[in-house]
Amino acid sequence: MSATIKDIKQGFCLVCKTLRPKLYNRPSLWGTLGVCILFSCSSINCPVDNTVYTIYEICTREGEADTLKATLSVRTVRMDRDTLIYNQGSDLTQLTLPISYQCPEDTLMFRLAVNDSTTVTDTVWVNKEDQPHFESVDCSAIFFHELRGVRSTHHAIDSIIIVNPHVTYDHEHAHFQISFK
């Protein structure tokens, strides 16, 4: 049996001299193989710790590290109601709080329980610019923030300043230094 060009195109095997379907003649196999290769080479590196927080470092008036002995709770006002975001922390050297991505300014109420009968509440306003951050279509939506300003009442808070205006995944560096009276 001799092979013609037509036979070879249809899958004639020259070794065993029979007409067999060749694998490379199956378009569905090539399509499946191509899709597998395309998706197996994808490396999506969504961050595991993809939460954006602000870090408040407790300091003295001179800017040196300090410990807050009073018990602290923090509430935020969003959509005309308040939400507890930090509950009864004591002996604090720093405080990690979430930041919104809905409003240009966050309002935080710091409530200090100095002893069993005395509480003092200060309000802190954090002005910021929200910046959408894109990693991949497979990762959740994230907003980074650029801090523009901070102000507060001064019942228990002596001062609060911005030391790092870039709020990202970086949980190593404080964004604010806050000192209490």
Side-chain angles (χ1 to χ4, degrees), residues 26-89:
R26 296 188 178 179
S28 62
L29 177 67
W30 282 109
T32 304
L33 185 61
V35 168
C36 290
I37 289 172
L38 177 70
F39 287 110
S40 67
C41 294
S42 175
S43 63
I44 299 166
N45 294 324
C46 296
V48 176
D49 186 11
N50 63 354
T51 308
V52 179
Y53 287 105
T54 53
I55 300 172
Y56 294 74
E57 183 177 52
I58 312 296
C59 294
T60 63
R61 290 181 183 180
E62 293 78 33
E64 296 180 20
D66 196 12
T67 302
L68 179 65
K69 297 295 183 185
T71 302
L72 176 68
S73 295
V74 181
R75 293 182 173 273
T76 185
V77 178
R78 293 186 184 154
M79 310 251 186
D80 296 327
R81 59 189 169 115
D82 66 338
T83 303
L84 183 67
I85 58 174
Y86 191 83
N87 193 22
Q88 297 183 354

Coordinates of all heavy atoms in Angstrom, one line a residue, residues 26-89:
R26 N -6.7 17.0 15.3 CA -7.9 17.2 16.0 C -7.9 18.7 16.6 O -7.2 19.0 17.6 CB -8.1 16.3 17.2 CG -8.2 14.8 16.7 CD -8.5 13.9 17.8 NE -8.7 12.6 17.3 CZ -9.0 11.6 18.0 NH1 -9.1 11.7 19.3 NH2 -9.1 10.4 17.5
P27 N -8.7 19.6 16.0 CA -8.7 20.9 16.5 C -9.2 21.1 17.9 O -8.7 22.0 18.7 CB -9.7 21.7 15.6 CG -10.1 20.7 14.5 CD -9.6 19.3 14.9
S28 N -10.1 20.3 18.4 CA -10.6 20.4 19.8 C -9.5 20.1 20.8 O -9.4 20.7 21.8 CB -11.8 19.5 20.0 OG -11.4 18.1 19.8
L29 N -8.6 19.1 20.4 CA -7.5 18.8 21.3 C -6.5 20.0 21.4 O -6.1 20.3 22.5 CB -6.8 17.5 20.8 CG -5.5 17.1 21.6 CD1 -6.0 16.7 23.0 CD2 -4.8 16.1 20.9
W30 N -6.2 20.6 20.3 CA -5.3 21.7 20.3 C -5.9 22.9 21.0 O -5.2 23.6 21.8 CB -4.9 22.1 18.8 CG -3.9 21.2 18.2 CD1 -4.1 20.3 17.3 CD2 -2.5 21.2 18.6 NE1 -2.9 19.7 17.0 CE2 -2.0 20.2 17.8 CE3 -1.8 21.8 19.6 CZ2 -0.6 19.8 17.9 CZ3 -0.4 21.5 19.6 CH2 0.1 20.5 18.8
G31 N -7.2 23.1 20.9 CA -7.9 24.2 21.6 C -7.8 24.0 23.1 O -7.5 24.9 23.9
T32 N -8.1 22.7 23.5 CA -8.0 22.4 25.0 C -6.6 22.5 25.5 O -6.4 23.1 26.6 CB -8.6 21.0 25.2 OG1 -9.9 20.9 24.7 CG2 -8.6 20.6 26.7
L33 N -5.7 22.0 24.8 CA -4.3 22.1 25.2 C -3.8 23.6 25.3 O -3.1 24.0 26.2 CB -3.4 21.4 24.2 CG -1.9 21.3 24.6 CD1 -1.7 20.5 25.9 CD2 -1.1 20.5 23.5
G34 N -4.2 24.4 24.3 CA -3.9 25.8 24.3 C -4.5 26.6 25.5 O -3.8 27.4 26.2
V35 N -5.7 26.3 25.9 CA -6.3 26.9 27.0 C -5.6 26.5 28.3 O -5.4 27.3 29.2 CB -7.9 26.5 27.1 CG1 -8.5 26.9 28.4 CG2 -8.6 27.2 25.9
C36 N -5.3 25.2 28.4 CA -4.6 24.7 29.6 C -3.3 25.4 29.8 O -2.9 25.8 30.9 CB -4.4 23.2 29.6 SG -5.9 22.3 29.8
I37 N -2.5 25.5 28.7 CA -1.2 26.2 28.8 C -1.4 27.6 29.2 O -0.7 28.2 30.0 CB -0.4 26.0 27.5 CG1 0.0 24.6 27.3 CG2 0.7 27.0 27.4 CD1 0.6 24.2 25.9
L38 N -2.4 28.3 28.6 CA -2.6 29.7 28.8 C -2.9 30.0 30.3 O -2.3 30.8 30.9 CB -3.7 30.2 28.0 CG -4.1 31.7 28.2 CD1 -3.0 32.6 27.6 CD2 -5.4 32.0 27.5
F39 N -3.8 29.2 30.9 CA -4.1 29.4 32.3 C -3.2 28.8 33.3 O -3.1 29.2 34.4 CB -5.6 28.9 32.6 CG -6.6 29.7 31.9 CD1 -7.3 29.3 30.9 CD2 -6.8 31.0 32.4 CE1 -8.3 30.1 30.3 CE2 -7.8 31.9 31.9 CZ -8.5 31.4 30.8
S40 N -2.4 27.8 32.9 CA -1.4 27.2 33.8 C -0.2 28.1 34.0 O 0.4 28.1 35.0 CB -1.0 25.8 33.4 OG -0.2 26.0 32.2
C41 N 0.0 29.0 33.0 CA 1.2 29.9 33.2 C 0.8 31.2 33.9 O 1.7 32.0 34.1 CB 1.7 30.2 31.8 SG 2.4 28.8 30.9
S42 N -0.4 31.4 34.2 CA -0.8 32.6 34.9 C -0.4 32.5 36.4 O -0.5 31.5 37.0 CB -2.4 32.7 34.9 OG -2.8 33.8 35.6
S43 N 0.2 33.6 36.8 CA 0.6 33.7 38.2 C 0.0 34.9 38.9 O 0.5 36.0 38.7 CB 2.1 33.7 38.3 OG 2.6 34.9 37.7
I44 N -1.1 34.7 39.5 CA -1.8 35.8 40.1 C -1.4 35.9 41.6 O -1.5 34.9 42.3 CB -3.4 35.6 40.0 CG1 -3.8 35.6 38.6 CG2 -4.1 36.7 40.8 CD1 -5.1 35.1 38.3
N45 N -0.8 37.0 41.9 CA -0.2 37.1 43.3 C -1.0 38.2 44.1 O -0.6 39.3 44.3 CB 1.2 37.6 43.2 CG 2.1 36.5 42.6 OD1 1.9 35.3 42.9 ND2 3.1 36.9 41.9
C46 N -2.3 37.8 44.4 CA -3.1 38.7 45.3 C -2.4 38.7 46.6 O -2.1 37.6 47.2 CB -4.5 38.2 45.3 SG -5.4 38.3 43.7
P47 N -2.3 39.8 47.3 CA -1.7 39.9 48.6 C -2.6 39.1 49.6 O -3.8 39.2 49.6 CB -1.6 41.4 48.9 CG -2.0 42.1 47.7 CD -2.6 41.1 46.7
V48 N -2.0 38.4 50.5 CA -2.7 37.7 51.5 C -3.3 38.6 52.5 O -4.4 38.6 52.9 CB -1.8 36.6 52.2 CG1 -2.6 35.9 53.3 CG2 -1.3 35.6 51.2
D49 N -2.4 39.6 53.0 CA -2.9 40.6 53.9 C -3.2 41.9 53.1 O -2.4 42.7 53.0 CB -1.8 40.8 55.0 CG -2.2 41.8 56.1 OD1 -3.4 42.0 56.1 OD2 -1.4 42.2 56.8
N50 N -4.4 41.9 52.6 CA -4.7 43.0 51.7 C -5.7 44.0 52.4 O -6.5 44.6 51.8 CB -5.3 42.5 50.4 CG -6.6 41.8 50.6 OD1 -7.1 41.5 51.8 ND2 -7.3 41.4 49.6
T51 N -5.5 44.2 53.7 CA -6.4 45.1 54.4 C -5.6 46.4 54.6 O -4.4 46.4 55.0 CB -6.8 44.6 55.8 OG1 -7.3 43.3 55.6 CG2 -7.8 45.4 56.5
V52 N -6.2 47.5 54.4 CA -5.6 48.9 54.5 C -6.0 49.5 55.9 O -7.2 49.7 56.1 CB -6.0 49.8 53.4 CG1 -5.4 51.1 53.5 CG2 -5.6 49.1 52.0
Y53 N -5.1 49.7 56.7 CA -5.3 50.3 58.1 C -4.5 51.5 58.3 O -3.5 51.7 57.6 CB -4.9 49.3 59.2 CG -5.8 48.1 59.3 CD1 -5.5 46.8 58.9 CD2 -7.1 48.2 60.0 CE1 -6.3 45.8 59.0 CE2 -7.9 47.2 60.1 CZ -7.5 45.9 59.7 OH -8.4 44.9 59.8
T54 N -4.9 52.3 59.2 CA -4.1 53.4 59.7 C -3.5 53.1 61.1 O -4.2 52.4 61.9 CB -4.9 54.7 59.8 OG1 -6.0 54.5 60.6 CG2 -5.3 55.3 58.5
I55 N -2.3 53.5 61.3 CA -1.6 53.2 62.5 C -1.4 54.4 63.3 O -0.8 55.4 62.8 CB -0.3 52.4 62.3 CG1 -0.5 51.1 61.5 CG2 0.5 52.2 63.6 CD1 0.7 50.4 61.0
Y56 N -1.8 54.5 64.5 CA -1.7 55.6 65.4 C -0.6 55.2 66.5 O -0.8 54.3 67.2 CB -3.0 55.9 66.1 CG -4.1 56.4 65.2 CD1 -4.7 55.6 64.4 CD2 -4.4 57.8 65.2 CE1 -5.7 56.0 63.5 CE2 -5.4 58.3 64.4 CZ -6.1 57.4 63.5 OH -7.0 57.8 62.7
E57 N 0.5 55.9 66.5 CA 1.5 55.7 67.5 C 1.3 56.6 68.7 O 1.2 57.8 68.5 CB 2.9 55.9 66.8 CG 4.1 55.6 67.7 CD 5.4 55.9 66.9 OE1 5.6 57.0 66.3 OE2 6.2 54.9 66.9
I58 N 1.3 56.0 69.9 CA 1.1 56.8 71.1 C 2.5 57.4 71.5 O 3.5 56.7 71.6 CB 0.6 55.9 72.3 CG1 -0.6 55.1 71.8 CG2 0.3 56.8 73.5 CD1 -1.8 55.8 71.4
C59 N 2.5 58.7 71.6 CA 3.8 59.4 71.9 C 3.6 60.5 73.0 O 2.5 60.8 73.3 CB 4.2 60.2 70.6 SG 4.7 59.1 69.3
T60 N 4.8 60.9 73.5 CA 4.8 62.0 74.4 C 4.7 63.3 73.6 O 4.7 63.3 72.4 CB 6.1 62.0 75.3 OG1 7.2 62.2 74.4 CG2 6.3 60.7 76.0
R61 N 4.6 64.4 74.3 CA 4.5 65.7 73.6 C 5.8 66.0 72.8 O 5.8 66.7 71.8 CB 4.4 66.9 74.6 CG 3.1 66.9 75.3 CD 3.0 68.1 76.2 NE 1.7 68.0 76.9 CZ 1.3 68.9 77.8 NH1 2.1 69.9 78.1 NH2 0.1 68.8 78.4
E62 N 6.9 65.4 73.2 CA 8.2 65.5 72.5 C 8.3 64.6 71.3 O 9.3 64.6 70.6 CB 9.4 65.3 73.5 CG 9.5 66.4 74.6 CD 8.4 66.2 75.7 OE1 8.1 65.1 76.0 OE2 8.0 67.2 76.2
G63 N 7.4 63.7 71.1 CA 7.4 62.7 70.0 C 8.1 61.4 70.3 O 8.3 60.6 69.4
E64 N 8.4 61.1 71.6 CA 9.0 59.8 72.0 C 7.9 58.8 72.3 O 6.8 59.2 72.7 CB 9.9 60.0 73.1 CG 11.1 61.0 72.8 CD 12.0 61.2 74.0 OE1 12.0 60.3 74.9 OE2 12.7 62.2 74.0
A65 N 8.2 57.6 72.1 CA 7.2 56.5 72.3 C 6.7 56.5 73.7 O 7.5 56.8 74.7 CB 7.8 55.1 72.0
D66 N 5.4 56.3 73.9 CA 4.8 56.3 75.2 C 3.7 55.2 75.3 O 3.4 54.5 74.3 CB 4.1 57.7 75.4 CG 3.7 58.0 76.9 OD1 4.2 57.2 77.7 OD2 3.0 58.9 77.1
T67 N 3.2 55.0 76.5 CA 2.2 54.0 76.7 C 0.9 54.6 77.3 O 1.0 55.4 78.2 CB 2.6 52.9 77.7 OG1 3.8 52.3 77.1 CG2 1.6 51.8 77.8
L68 N -0.2 54.4 76.7 CA -1.5 55.0 77.2 C -2.0 54.0 78.2 O -2.4 52.8 77.9 CB -2.5 55.1 76.0 CG -3.8 55.7 76.4 CD1 -3.7 57.1 76.9 CD2 -4.8 55.6 75.2
K69 N -2.1 54.5 79.4 CA -2.6 53.6 80.6 C -4.1 53.6 80.6 O -4.7 52.6 81.1 CB -2.0 54.1 81.9 CG -0.5 54.1 82.0 CD 0.0 52.6 81.9 CE 1.5 52.6 82.0 NZ 2.0 51.3 81.9
A70 N -4.8 54.6 80.2 CA -6.3 54.6 80.3 C -6.8 53.6 79.3 O -6.2 53.2 78.3 CB -6.8 56.0 79.9
T71 N -8.1 53.2 79.5 CA -8.8 52.3 78.6 C -9.4 53.1 77.5 O -10.1 54.1 77.7 CB -9.9 51.5 79.4 OG1 -9.3 50.9 80.5 CG2 -10.6 50.6 78.5
L72 N -9.1 52.7 76.2 CA -9.6 53.4 75.1 C -10.5 52.6 74.2 O -10.3 51.5 73.9 CB -8.3 53.8 74.2 CG -8.6 54.5 72.9 CD1 -9.1 55.9 73.1 CD2 -7.3 54.5 72.0
S73 N -11.6 53.3 73.8 CA -12.5 52.7 72.8 C -12.7 53.8 71.7 O -12.7 55.0 72.0 CB -13.9 52.5 73.4 OG -13.8 51.4 74.4
V74 N -12.8 53.3 70.5 CA -13.0 54.2 69.4 C -14.2 53.9 68.6 O -14.4 52.7 68.2 CB -11.7 54.2 68.4 CG1 -11.8 55.2 67.3 CG2 -10.5 54.4 69.2
R75 N -15.0 54.9 68.3 CA -16.2 54.7 67.4 C -16.0 55.6 66.2 O -15.3 56.6 66.2 CB -17.4 55.2 68.2 CG -17.8 54.3 69.3 CD -19.1 54.8 70.0 NE -19.5 53.8 71.0 CZ -20.3 52.8 70.7 NH1 -20.7 52.5 69.5 NH2 -20.7 51.9 71.7
T76 N -16.7 55.2 65.1 CA -16.7 56.1 63.9 C -18.1 56.4 63.6 O -19.0 55.6 63.8 CB -15.9 55.4 62.8 OG1 -15.9 56.3 61.7 CG2 -16.6 54.1 62.3
V77 N -18.3 57.5 63.0 CA -19.6 57.9 62.5 C -19.7 57.7 61.0 O -18.9 58.4 60.3 CB -19.9 59.4 62.9 CG1 -21.3 59.8 62.3 CG2 -19.9 59.6 64.4
R78 N -20.6 56.9 60.5 CA -20.7 56.6 59.1 C -22.2 56.5 58.8 O -22.9 55.8 59.5 CB -20.0 55.3 58.7 CG -18.5 55.4 58.8 CD -17.8 54.2 58.2 NE -16.4 54.4 58.5 CZ -15.6 53.4 58.6 NH1 -16.0 52.1 58.5 NH2 -14.3 53.6 58.8
M79 N -22.7 57.2 57.8 CA -24.0 57.1 57.4 C -25.0 57.4 58.5 O -26.0 56.7 58.8 CB -24.4 55.8 56.8 CG -23.4 55.3 55.8 SD -24.2 55.4 54.2 CE -22.9 54.7 53.2
D80 N -24.7 58.5 59.3 CA -25.5 59.0 60.4 C -25.7 58.0 61.5 O -26.7 58.0 62.3 CB -26.9 59.4 59.9 CG -26.8 60.6 58.9 OD1 -25.8 61.4 59.1 OD2 -27.6 60.7 58.0
R81 N -24.8 57.0 61.7 CA -24.8 56.2 62.9 C -23.4 55.9 63.3 O -22.5 55.9 62.4 CB -25.6 54.9 62.6 CG -25.1 54.1 61.5 CD -26.1 52.9 61.2 NE -25.7 52.3 59.9 CZ -25.3 51.1 59.8 NH1 -25.2 50.3 60.8 NH2 -24.9 50.7 58.6
D82 N -23.2 55.5 64.5 CA -21.8 55.3 65.0 C -21.6 53.8 65.1 O -22.5 53.0 65.3 CB -21.5 56.0 66.3 CG -22.3 55.5 67.5 OD1 -23.4 54.9 67.2 OD2 -21.9 55.6 68.6
T83 N -20.3 53.4 64.9 CA -19.9 52.0 64.9 C -18.7 51.9 65.8 O -17.7 52.6 65.6 CB -19.6 51.5 63.5 OG1 -20.8 51.7 62.7 CG2 -19.2 50.0 63.5
L84 N -18.7 50.9 66.7 CA -17.5 50.6 67.5 C -16.5 49.9 66.7 O -16.7 48.8 66.1 CB -17.9 49.8 68.7 CG -16.8 49.5 69.7 CD1 -16.4 50.7 70.4 CD2 -17.3 48.4 70.7
I85 N -15.3 50.5 66.5 CA -14.2 49.9 65.7 C -13.0 49.5 66.6 O -12.1 48.7 66.1 CB -13.8 50.8 64.6 CG1 -13.3 52.1 65.1 CG2 -14.9 51.0 63.5 CD1 -12.7 53.0 64.0
Y86 N -13.0 49.9 67.8 CA -11.9 49.5 68.7 C -12.5 49.5 70.1 O -13.0 50.5 70.6 CB -10.7 50.4 68.6 CG -9.5 49.8 69.4 CD1 -8.7 48.9 68.8 CD2 -9.2 50.2 70.7 CE1 -7.6 48.4 69.4 CE2 -8.1 49.7 71.3 CZ -7.3 48.8 70.7 OH -6.2 48.3 71.4
N87 N -12.4 48.4 70.9 CA -13.1 48.3 72.2 C -12.1 48.0 73.3 O -11.5 47.0 73.4 CB -14.1 47.2 72.1 CG -15.1 47.2 73.2 OD1 -15.3 48.2 73.9 ND2 -15.7 46.1 73.5
Q88 N -12.1 48.9 74.2 CA -11.4 48.8 75.5 C -10.0 48.3 75.5 O -9.7 47.3 76.2 CB -12.3 48.0 76.5 CG -13.7 48.6 76.7 CD -14.5 47.8 77.7 OE1 -14.1 46.7 78.1 NE2 -15.6 48.3 78.0
G89 N -9.2 49.0 74.8 CA -7.8 48.7 74.8 C -7.1 49.4 75.9 O -7.4 50.6 76.2

